[in-house]
Amino acid sequence: MEQVKLGNTGLEVGVAGLGSGGSSRLGQGYGLPKADSVKVIKAALDIGITFFDTAAVYKTEKIVGEGLLGQRQNVVISTKAQIIKPGSPALGDNMAPPSQIREGLESSLKNLQTDYVDIFHLHGVMPNQYSYCVEHLVPELIKMREEGKIRHIGITERFITDTDHTMLSKAVADDFWDVVMIGLNFLNPSARKLLFPSTQKKGIATLIMFAVRTALSRTSVLKELLQEMVDNKLIDQAIASEPEPLKFLTDPGIAVSIMDAAYRFCRFEPGAEVILTGTGNVDHLRQNVASICAPALPSETLTHLETIFGHVDTVSGN
Ligand SMILES: NC(=O)c1ccc[n+]([C@@H]2O[C@H](COP(=O)([O-])OP(=O)(O)OC[C@H]3O[C@@H](n4cnc5c(N)ncnc54)[C@H](OP(=O)(O)O)[C@@H]3O)[C@@H](O)[C@H]2O)c1
């Protein structure tokens, strides 16, 4: 697998990273036995994946820890702390105190069976929560980094609602963040203008989520979303009326499926470093990694996508 440098962190990893969140959560989202989810981690190692993303709220840290036993020196582990008090509404302003972030790290270390994490993120920060995070939580993260318990500090956006990257636009203008996790797919390529120029200039590492998510992994959801985009005057009716959505992507010699096109789109977006893929199915994992490692889409196809979706910053593909 092709190796990529993660910004200025000094880390180098395979371009495809395994995510253990999303709707699948390594299959835990649909009741896969834990041992089978552990097998997904081990299969990922066999395929050459060296980047593993998890989070306290996904409840997959223990599975990741078990799957990576004996491999600690060969992998990069990314996990996240919840920034609101447990039980408070996700979009409320009931923010976690710094002590909760530290307790979160201690619990993650235990779950992951390690004494350090490579990247520790504040998870799903909303624009109205950002200044609290900077004022109260960043100093604690910096202390934890100085203690060697975390190697790099990261922040992830809540792309489902923050589709125009309002929070991360502030974050990339600051100088605290070593790593950011960004929502990107061909339906909403707005990170291209809003984030990548800064991350590239400053050497902030980028992890890409939402490459396929729900809309680009299920045809029926894609059809519904395209119609919604027509109704909201984002795209032309003709695109949503096609019997097979976005057929030009799967014409001979272009891509083998919409998902294949979606992963390749992200992989070759300048500024995108690790492309995350989440699954509980080893065959899906192999297909997705093959797509991430396949050549770029033809330039005419990219131009076609840009013409249709280049201006969109209001959908996530969730
Ligand atoms: N704010 C945040 O911090 C945040 C938010 C979202 C995601 N993330 C991270 O990003 C990672 C990626 O998440 P994502 O939201 O981009 O979505 P994703 O987890 O990659 O979603 C892919 C979905 O498509 C299915 N799928 C995967 N491969 C398939 C294939 N070849 N054929 C058919 N279906 C397939 C998966 O289920 P199957 O199990 O059936 O394959 C899953 O439901 C997460 O795991 C997580 O680590 C972070």
Side-chain angles (χ1 to χ4, degrees), residues 37-298:
S37 295
V38 171
K39 281 184 196 155
V40 178
I41 304 281
K42 292 193 185 293
L45 288 166
D46 290 342
I47 293 169
I49 287 181
T50 50
F51 186 95
F52 293 84
D53 180 62
T54 181
V57 289
Y58 301 163
K59 302 208 183 318
T60 49
E61 287 181 323
K62 284 186 181 168
I63 291 168
V64 172
E66 194 178 330
L68 295 179
L69 268 187
Q71 294 289 332
R72 187 66 189 94
Q73 302 312 311
N74 306 324
V75 296
V76 166
I77 299 178
S78 147
T79 192
K80 319 185 187 85
Q82 234 188 320
I83 58 154
I84 53 168
K85 290 179 185 158
S88 60
L91 303 180
D93 58 358
N94 197 4
M95 301 300 291
S99 59
Q100 184 184 314
I101 303 302
R102 183 167 284 272
E103 284 155 22
L105 174 66
E106 294 303 337
S107 159
S108 293
L109 292 174
K110 210 165 139 203
N111 289 337
L112 289 161
Q113 305 192 47
T114 183
D115 53 7
Y116 72 96
V117 290
D118 301 278
I119 306 168
F120 195 62
H121 304 264
L122 299 183
H123 195 169
V125 178
M126 293 282 290
N128 66 347
Q129 297 169 324
Y130 183 72
S131 58
Y132 175 93
C133 292
V134 169
E135 202 179 326
H136 299 279
L137 306 184
V138 167
E140 193 67 15
L141 290 173
I142 291 172
K143 251 188 259 166
M144 286 161 24
R145 187 174 57 189
E146 283 164 3
E147 292 161 12
K149 292 186 170 183
I150 64 180
R151 296 280 156 87
H152 303 284
I153 293 173
I155 185 163
T156 79
E157 64 184 347
R158 189 177 279 272
F159 189 54
I160 291 179
T161 51
D162 188 7
T163 53
D164 65 353
H165 312 287
T166 303
M167 186 285 292
L168 278 185
S169 297
K170 295 183 198 177
V172 297
D174 284 334
D175 293 324
F176 325 113
W177 309 105
D178 304 314
V179 184
V180 292
M181 189 181 288
I182 298 173
L184 172 74
N185 53 53
F186 66 67
L187 302 168
N188 177 352
S190 58
R192 179 181 293 163
K193 288 190 189 117
L194 298 171
L195 300 177
F196 292 136
S198 298
T199 58
Q200 287 177 294
K201 190 164 153 220
K202 296 173 105 168
I204 301 172
T206 61
L207 311 173
I208 304 304
M209 59 179 171
F210 282 71
V212 299
R213 195 70 182 186
T214 319
L216 295 171
S217 63
R218 292 180 214 164
T219 311
S220 58
V221 181
L222 179 59
K223 279 197 88 122
E224 271 172 38
L225 177 61
L226 292 176
Q227 188 54 54
E228 202 179 300
M229 291 173 86
V230 171
D231 297 343
N232 292 328
K233 303 196 184 336
L234 289 173
I235 59 170
D236 197 81
Q237 174 66 52
I239 294 153
S241 308
E242 291 169 7
E244 220 178 299
L246 309 178
K247 170 84 178 58
F248 69 95
L249 290 173
T250 53
D251 281 345
I254 310 296
V256 297
S257 64
I258 298 278
M259 288 190 78
D260 180 48
Y263 280 122
R264 289 162 65 190
F265 171 86
C266 287
R267 160 67 184 101
F268 288 97
E269 179 65 30
E273 293 173 350
V274 168
I275 312 302
L276 293 168
T277 176
T279 183
N281 178 316
V282 173
D283 288 336
H284 286 176
L285 180 64
R286 288 204 184 93
Q287 280 167 28
N288 302 347
V289 170
S291 295
I292 294 168
C293 296
L297 294 170

